[in-house]
């Protein structure tokens, strides 16, 4: 089962482009509710795979919903940490103050401020002085036919981003994350922090059956859709789930 998060893509919900980690994790729990209602599903053999931000959301969901019997995070990013650091320009308190003022203005009738996390093109990004591998490769993926979808906007409501500031996808992993875990990361670190986050959750997870695979020579967005690194990842993922589910 694959689904778009609430307020995103083809899923419903208002306000559009709202990114609330608690709701994202709740979406996963509701997806499991649906799966276990199906007669064709063995409720004792449910696994979960998350990619990028979804990787960290899946980790948190597994910590608080042990109906997930095994999980894999592929180039997972702890969105709350990213929000506090790079997205706030390492000034989270200042960012929250700005978000609060904007939300007040919107509550009083102002137009919602929807930000685009990426430049319109790789060329535009480079012209603006952007050099980070994750930003440029994300733009190449999401802003071209390679990964662009009709409802796949790379946008977020600025005033609602404060929901991520005090949240932590890995909170209590040392106690609650006990299921078999596989972490897949590339060894080319970028600004979104998947390499760092993958190493961190691998070390912190309480699971006695945990594994990390580092795809050497590949980056975060290579692991999205490039045949060779995806093939390397699947060589780990497929047997991992077969043996544990």
């Amino acid at each position: 089962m694959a689904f778009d998060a609430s307020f995103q893509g083809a899923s419903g919900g208002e306000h559009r482009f709202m990114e609330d980690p608690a709701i994202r994790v709740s979406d996963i729990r509701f997806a499991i509710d649906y799966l276990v209602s199906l007669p064709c599903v063995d409720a004792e053999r449910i696994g979960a795979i998350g990619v990028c931000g979804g990787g960290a959301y899946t980790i948190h969901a597994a910590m608080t919903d042990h109906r997930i019997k095994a999980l894999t995070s592929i180039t997972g990013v702890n969105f709350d940490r990213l929000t506090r650091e790079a997205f706030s320009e390492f000034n989270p308190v200042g960012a929250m103050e700005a978000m609060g003022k904007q939300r007040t203005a919107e509550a009083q009738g102002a137009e919602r401020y929807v930000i685009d996390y990426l430049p319109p093109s790789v060329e535009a990004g480079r012209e603006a002085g952007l050099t980070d591998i994750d930003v440029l490769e994300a733009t190449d993926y999401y802003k071209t036919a390679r990964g662009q979808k009709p409802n796949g906007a790379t946008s977020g409501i600025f005033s609602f981003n404060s929901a991520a500031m005090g949240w932590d996808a890995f909170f209590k992993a040392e106690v609650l994350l006990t299921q078999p875990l596989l972490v897949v990361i590339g060894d080319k670190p970028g600004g979104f922090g998947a390499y760092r986050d993958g190493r961190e959750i691998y070390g912190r997870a309480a699971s006695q059956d945990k594994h990390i695979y580092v795809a050497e020579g590949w980056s975060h967005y290579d692991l999205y859709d490039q045949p060779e690194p995806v093939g390397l990842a699947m060589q780990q993922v497929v047997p991992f789930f077969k043996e544990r589910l």
Side-chain angles (χ1 to χ4, degrees), residues 209-225:
D209 181 8
K210 58 182 179 180
H211 309 269
I212 187 167
Y213 174 72
V214 181
E216 295 184 2
W218 301 103
S219 67
H220 181 105
Y221 286 93
D222 288 334
L223 284 164
Y224 271 39
D225 64 344

Side-chain angles (χ1 to χ4, degrees), residues 107-242:
Q108 295 171 346
E111 184 177 350
R112 295 205 179 276
Y113 175 32
V114 178
I115 59 175
D116 194 328
Y117 294 111
L118 300 172
S121 67
V122 173
E123 293 73 19
R126 286 180 173 144
E127 288 175 3
L130 299 174
T131 59
D132 180 75
I133 185 173
D134 281 354
V135 174
L136 294 177
E137 290 192 357
T139 303
D140 182 66
Y141 181 83
Y142 287 111
K143 299 293 190 178
T144 70
R146 176 183 164 196
Q148 193 172 44
K149 301 297 180 183
N151 295 318
T154 56
S155 302
I157 300 177
F158 174 74
S159 58
F160 280 67
N161 278 354
S162 58
M165 287 289 189
W167 195 80
D168 182 2
F170 301 158
F171 182 65
K172 294 295 183 180
E174 299 87 348
V175 177
L176 300 176
L177 185 55
T178 59
Q179 301 98 312
L181 169 69
L182 171 63
V183 175
V184 177
I185 52 176
D187 73 343
K188 289 184 176 180
F192 294 167
Y195 182 86
R196 162 187 165 183
D197 290 340
R199 291 287 190 185
E200 178 183 343
I201 193 57
Y202 172 71
R204 290 177 58 180
S207 174
Q208 297 301 304
D209 181 8
K210 58 182 179 180
H211 309 269
I212 187 167
Y213 174 72
V214 181
E216 295 184 2
W218 301 103
S219 67
H220 181 105
Y221 286 93
D222 288 334
L223 284 164
Y224 271 39
D225 64 344
Q226 297 305 299
E228 186 174 347
V230 170
L232 292 171
M234 289 303 102
Q235 288 175 17
Q236 308 297 316
V237 173
V238 172
F240 172 80
F241 282 116
K242 282 188 174 180

Side-chain angles (χ1 to χ4, degrees), residues 22-36:
I23 295 175
R24 291 293 294 268
V25 171
S26 184
D27 285 344
I28 297 171
R29 296 194 193 99
F30 280 117
I32 298 170
D33 289 345
Y34 175 70
L35 286 175
V36 299

